[in-house]
Amino acid sequence: MMHLQPDSPDTPTMTWERLLSRRRYPEQPQLHLVTDAPPVRGAFVQDYDRVVFSSPFRRLQRKTQVMPLPETDFVHTRLTHSLETACVGRSLGRLGGRLLLEETPDLARQLPHLDSDFGDIVAAACLAHDIGNPPFGHSGEDAISAYFRSSAAEPFVRVLNAAQRADLQQFEGNAAGFRTLTHTYAAHSSGSAGLGLTYATLGAFTKYPRPSIVEEATLTRGTSEKKYGYFQTEADRFQEVARELGLLPKPPGTQLGGFYHRHPLAFLVEAADDLCYRIIDFEDGLKLGLIPCETGLRVLREMLGDAPGRRGSLEWRDWREELGYLRARLINRLVQQTARLFADRADDLLRGRSDEPLVQQLDCWDQLQHIHQLTKEHLYRSRPVLEIEAAGFEVMAGLLDAFLHATFDPQESPRSRKVVQLLPEQFRGIGHQQGASAYEQIILLTDYIGGLTDQNAISLFRTIRGIDLPKGF
């Protein structure tokens, strides 16, 4: 087999052979099929299917993308956003991989199916990219972080070490997602496999391959360092993923607290998400009437280079149909350009020499930023969004406070016993979890509350506060 990688033996590099590992975390027995025919579905397609059929993924249909608790079918939920991101990610992976195969004969001989593997891995990772997000979107993450930084949470966090406190006080949906994909509750099974995905998909999923605390002197301010990708509960699991894939540690030659360069395909996962939320959130703002339609259509036409007043050969009778047409053309063009950027920078990504989002390198980056600014001003800061996000802070803090006090109540008051019994067994920190540390018990509670849908969280909060009483059977 030909050695594909680089110039100097002293230059550290990742290799596609290891990065495309089909091994599953953890290793699982192979199913014995009745037929000896080769499998129709490859390992990475199976990853995609496992995400689709999981309960956490299904709950995304009732979680906020932009407009909380939407009452119209026009706007996106986390579920529809994740599906669209996966479609864009598949195209990015296949196009980027095809370009590499066409331009690298040695690679084409060694990994002839690299383009389809790229597409399937990126699609599966994109599908799961928001699976750990709590209710109320990014506002929900902020609400959890704010609660654990508040005086109300001080009795619970004072016993934790610095890294454990940082996990909670800088709560991160990406880390919650990695936990969802790799963790099985003791009350459910004696195993610890999560969804049993391949190492390749777990690596591409992890956009921030670092813990919540790293030494400041080692930070380069790259995009993969902005947030963190796993809790302390999953530190050993991520280290195993990094070793299997051959991720490069940061700084080179050290194993500094599980701090690594990204899997190169994580840049495509990030790009797919960036393109979808920037363009499709903008589309939602137009359809909701929060961004003037003529303003929005004009911006999209300008990005496509359409002449003023020219509508092509089609006669549009509904501006929404034209909007969909422009959005589709724009995403197609940006996918082509982003795949080209990825192929051009693949060697730098393998060597950890590039840590800038691909979309920021597009020629139209300033225009994408303009779209994003319009969306922030007219949609993200609209009164309905702000009102529900503000209420979300009260809901998340109220639920965390109630369940933490009930779990750690030394007096075992009647109220605490009732509240704890509302928790499904796997989240109680007792029974199968006997002997769990304070940190592990708190993580279990954030698993439960973070896994609720927006409506579930509001309903449970109102019930516990006595605002609403459940209906009779």
Side-chain angles (χ1 to χ4, degrees), residues 375-424:
T375 307
K376 282 201 294 188
E377 291 173 2
H378 296 282
L379 179 57
Y380 300 162
R381 296 173 187 164
S382 65
R383 187 172 185 86
V385 170
L386 294 176
E387 286 177 342
I388 295 178
E389 287 183 343
F393 269 78
E394 297 301 315
V395 170
M396 299 301 284
L399 290 175
L400 285 167
D401 202 57
F403 283 110
L404 283 165
H405 277 93
T407 299
F408 291 97
D409 181 1
Q411 306 302 319
E412 293 190 6
S413 68
R415 181 181 186 277
S416 292
R417 287 197 295 272
K418 299 293 184 187
V419 171
V420 165
Q421 288 168 4
L422 291 174
L423 284 170

Side-chain angles (χ1 to χ4, degrees), residues 48 82-92 123 126-127 272 276 335:
Y48 185 96
S82 297
L83 289 166
E84 290 170 346
T85 301
C87 291
V88 171
R90 181 184 294 110
S91 296
L92 283 171
C126 284
L127 194 69
C276 284
V335 163

Side-chain angles (χ1 to χ4, degrees), residues 12 38 46 53 74 83 89 93 98 112 123 138 153 165 178 192 201 212 215 249 303 326-328 342 396 426 435 456:
Q46 292 175 38
F53 282 92
F74 285 123
L83 289 166
R98 175 50 51 186
H138 292 300
R165 286 197 301 274
F178 186 80
S192 182
T201 295
S212 56
E215 294 179 20
M303 289 189 70
L326 294 171
R327 178 253 302 148
F342 172 79
M396 299 301 284
Q426 67 267 29
N456 288 156

Side-chain angles (χ1 to χ4, degrees), residues 2 26 44 150 166 183 194 216 265 282 296 298 330 394 407 456:
M2 232 175 217
F44 308 132
S150 72
H183 180 74
E216 284 292 320
L265 296 184
F282 183 66
R298 184 181 68 252
L330 182 58
E394 297 301 315
T407 299
N456 288 156

Side-chain angles (χ1 to χ4, degrees), residues 139-439:
S139 181
E141 291 176 291
D142 294 340
I144 294 173
S145 301
Y147 172 76
F148 282 111
R149 290 195 297 266
S150 72
S151 58
E154 176 57 26
F156 309 114
V157 300
R158 70 161 65 108
V159 299
L160 308 182
N161 64 39
Q164 293 169 345
R165 286 197 301 274
D167 284 355
L168 300 169
Q169 294 176 344
Q170 304 165 38
F171 185 82
E172 181 51 56
N174 288 284
F178 186 80
R179 178 172 168 83
T180 297
L181 298 180
T182 61
H183 180 74
T184 298
Y185 296 103
H188 287 165
S189 168
S190 61
S192 182
L195 300 190
L197 304 183
T198 62
Y199 284 91
T201 295
L202 290 174
F205 168 86
T206 308
K207 293 191 291 184
Y208 307 104
R210 49 157 285 192
S212 56
I213 290 183
V214 294
E215 294 179 20
E216 284 292 320
T218 67
L219 293 174
T220 63
R221 311 303 171 190
T223 185
S224 66
E225 300 173 356
K226 292 192 307 181
K227 302 178 183 179
Y228 67 96
Y230 58 89
F231 297 132
Q232 291 300 302
T233 46
E234 282 68 57
D236 290 343
R237 294 175 192 169
F238 181 74
Q239 291 277 31
E240 184 177 339
V241 170
R243 284 193 297 270
E244 168 68 15
L245 298 173
L247 300 186
L248 294 180
K250 286 186 175 182
T254 71
Q255 298 286 340
L256 187 66
F259 188 15
Y260 291 86
H261 289 277
R262 274 182 177 175
H263 190 301
L265 296 184
F267 286 90
L268 292 180
V269 174
E270 177 183 59
D273 185 29
D274 283 348
L275 293 177
C276 284
Y277 87 76
R278 287 176 186 277
I279 295 171
I280 298 176
D281 286 4
F282 183 66
E283 181 183 22
D284 278 350
L286 288 163
K287 288 184 174 180
L288 288 167
L290 297 172
I291 301 173
C293 65
E294 276 308 316
T295 298
L297 293 173
R298 184 181 68 252
V299 169
L300 295 179
R301 292 182 199 125
E302 288 173 354
M303 289 189 70
L304 288 163
D306 289 355
R310 181 177 176 274
R311 303 293 179 89
S313 60
L314 294 172
E315 180 184 350
W316 298 104
R317 299 185 178 90
D318 186 327
W319 67 268
R320 295 172 187 81
E321 289 300 306
E322 182 183 4
L323 172 62
Y325 172 72
L326 294 171
R327 178 253 302 148
R329 285 177 56 204
L330 182 58
I331 289 178
N332 178 63
R333 177 177 297 182
L334 296 180
V335 163
Q336 301 284 337
Q337 294 174 2
T338 304
R340 178 72 265 172
L341 282 169
F342 172 79
D344 290 345
R345 288 158 176 72
D347 190 60
D348 284 340
L349 297 177
L350 287 170
R351 298 167 187 267
R353 293 191 302 220
S354 178
D355 197 9
E356 181 183 2
L358 293 172
V359 297
Q360 289 188 19
Q361 302 169 55
L362 292 169
D363 292 339
C364 65
W365 171 243
D366 289 342
Q367 293 167 301
L368 283 172
Q369 282 292 77
H370 177 55
I371 279 180
H372 187 52
Q373 188 60 36
L374 287 172
T375 307
K376 282 201 294 188
E377 291 173 2
H378 296 282
L379 179 57
Y380 300 162
R381 296 173 187 164
S382 65
R383 187 172 185 86
V385 170
L386 294 176
E387 286 177 342
I388 295 178
E389 287 183 343
F393 269 78
E394 297 301 315
V395 170
M396 299 301 284
L399 290 175
L400 285 167
D401 202 57
F403 283 110
L404 283 165
H405 277 93
T407 299
F408 291 97
D409 181 1
Q411 306 302 319
E412 293 190 6
S413 68
R415 181 181 186 277
S416 292
R417 287 197 295 272
K418 299 293 184 187
V419 171
V420 165
Q421 288 168 4
L422 291 174
L423 284 170
E425 184 181 358
Q426 67 267 29
F427 302 111
R428 293 184 189 177
I430 57 177
H432 290 286
Q433 299 288 338
Q434 193 68 44
S437 68
Y439 169 68

